[in-house]
Amino acid sequence: MISKNKIKLIRSLEQKKFRKEWQLFVAEGHKLVDDLLPAFDCAFLAARKEWLDTRREAVETLARKGCEIQEVSAEELQKASLQKNPQDVLAVFRQRPAGGAPEHLLKEQLCLGLDGVQDPGNLGTIIRIADWFGIEHIFCSPDTADLYNPKTVQATMGAMARVCVHYLSLTDLLRAADTDTPVYGTFLDGNDMYGTELSSNGLIVMGNEGKGISRDIASLINRKLYIPNYPLERNTSESLNVAVATAIVCAEFRRRDTIGRQE
């Protein structure tokens, strides 16, 4: 049985202040927990017998590393879960320590920058998109949603195990980067993305759901892009969801890079 104090701790991790205080976060579900176990240090794991029985070797390894493991019933798991319909496993992981600002990565590879993306689901989906397109680093402004919000964690579907998310001043990052570093952003007055030269390195900045890219960051973007609607003369929605726009942009960058490698 999961103790009342443990349930209280798990439920407290819905709030950012407690996640920050304890440097912990919650993940639930077969695939998500399986993906995160090799990438994050697990402090506590509660699972039904069926889940534990199919992962004996992994469970023994976790126990040797000091992870507290409890076999629980579906009813006991429901009491601790943050989900309406919990699956067979819940894990509490330790957060990764914050790193520096590796601006040199912008010169070496394609990265994403998120300027004030507020919705945890959007952030988690963007991390999943980055993982799909082989983007290993995302730089987030301090007012971007928290990586360890349970909604973000669930939306990543395990992609956060393979994508590094950095919180920092995007202004400082861009000012520290080399002046010839490509910095892209999406704007209504930008150049048609499909007719613009795209690089295999640099930073793609995506803005806030309602306000777009902030003025300070916009002034540091040297390559403005526009995702055209189809057909151009048709009345259409005012804008795209930021995660959808990110997927479209990343797909075009990778398509162009693939063509370049084949030539």
Side-chain angles (χ1 to χ4, degrees):
M1 180 179 292
I2 306 176
S3 69
K4 290 183 178 179
N5 284 340
K6 189 72 69 177
I7 291 174
K8 184 178 179 180
L9 169 65
I10 293 168
R11 292 196 168 275
S12 75
L13 297 176
E14 282 191 288
Q15 299 182 52
K16 185 175 182 178
K17 65 177 181 179
F18 291 115
R19 293 196 298 272
K20 186 175 181 179
E21 177 181 348
W22 296 106
Q23 290 294 293
L24 299 170
F25 71 96
V26 179
E28 300 187 53
H30 299 260
K31 183 182 186 307
L32 181 57
V33 172
D34 283 343
D35 279 358
L36 298 189
L37 281 174
F40 290 87
D41 186 12
C42 187
F44 173 76
L45 186 142
R48 297 180 64 185
K49 184 177 186 300
E50 294 83 353
W51 190 92
L52 294 171
D53 284 347
T54 58
R55 295 163 175 81
R56 286 294 181 189
E57 186 174 338
V59 170
E60 290 173 1
T61 300
L62 286 174
R64 288 196 297 271
K65 291 180 177 180
C67 176
E68 181 184 350
I69 301 169
Q70 290 191 6
E71 181 181 319
V72 295
S73 66
E75 292 74 19
E76 290 168 340
L77 194 62
Q78 178 73 64
K79 292 178 182 178
S81 175
L82 306 182
Q83 305 292 314
K84 289 183 179 179
N85 299 298
Q87 296 183 40
D88 291 340
V89 59
L90 176 153
V92 176
F93 291 97
R94 294 183 176 89
Q95 298 181 19
R96 285 172 175 156
E103 59 273 356
H104 65 88
L105 291 171
L106 306 186
K107 200 169 186 65
E108 300 169 1
Q109 57 187 273
L110 190 65
C111 304
L112 282 176
L114 302 183
D115 183 20
V117 172
Q118 297 289 295
D119 184 82
N122 279 337
L123 174 59
T125 302
I126 289 170
I127 294 169
R128 190 176 175 185
I129 290 165
D131 185 35
W132 181 263
F133 288 108
I135 295 173
E136 299 176 343
H137 294 273
I138 299 177
F139 299 97
C140 298
S141 62
D143 58 340
T144 293
D146 181 22
L147 167 64
Y148 298 112
N149 183 308
K151 292 180 180 178
T152 304
V153 173
Q154 295 300 129
T156 70
M157 292 294 290
M160 61 187 288
R162 295 172 292 275
V163 178
C164 294
V165 179
H166 313 266
Y167 286 83
L168 42 70
S169 166
L170 292 180
T171 304
D172 290 347
L173 174 70
L174 294 178
R175 286 176 177 167
D178 291 345
T179 55
D180 61 344
T181 298
V183 182
Y184 299 90
T186 53
F187 299 86
L188 291 176
D189 62 348
N191 297 314
D192 186 330
M193 178 179 69
Y194 299 115
T196 302
E197 183 178 348
L198 304 177
S199 64
S200 59
N201 71 299
L203 187 71
I204 305 169
V205 180
M206 306 302 296
N208 174 271
E209 290 88 342
K211 301 176 182 177
I213 297 172
S214 63
R215 184 176 299 177
D216 288 347
I217 301 302
S219 67
L220 298 171
I221 289 173
N222 51 37
R223 305 188 187 189
K224 293 186 176 183
L225 301 176
Y226 171 64
I227 303 172
N229 61 295
Y230 180 85
L232 290 176
E233 66 276 6
R234 180 178 179 273
N235 288 329
T236 186
S237 300
E238 185 178 283
S239 62
L240 291 168
N241 169 276
V242 64
V244 172
T246 301
I248 293 170
V249 173
C250 289
E252 181 61 14
F253 268 81
R254 290 314 197 200
R255 186 188 74 86
R256 209 77 70 81
D257 188 42
T258 300
I259 292 173
R261 291 173 186 272
Q262 292 173 346
E263 291 178 347

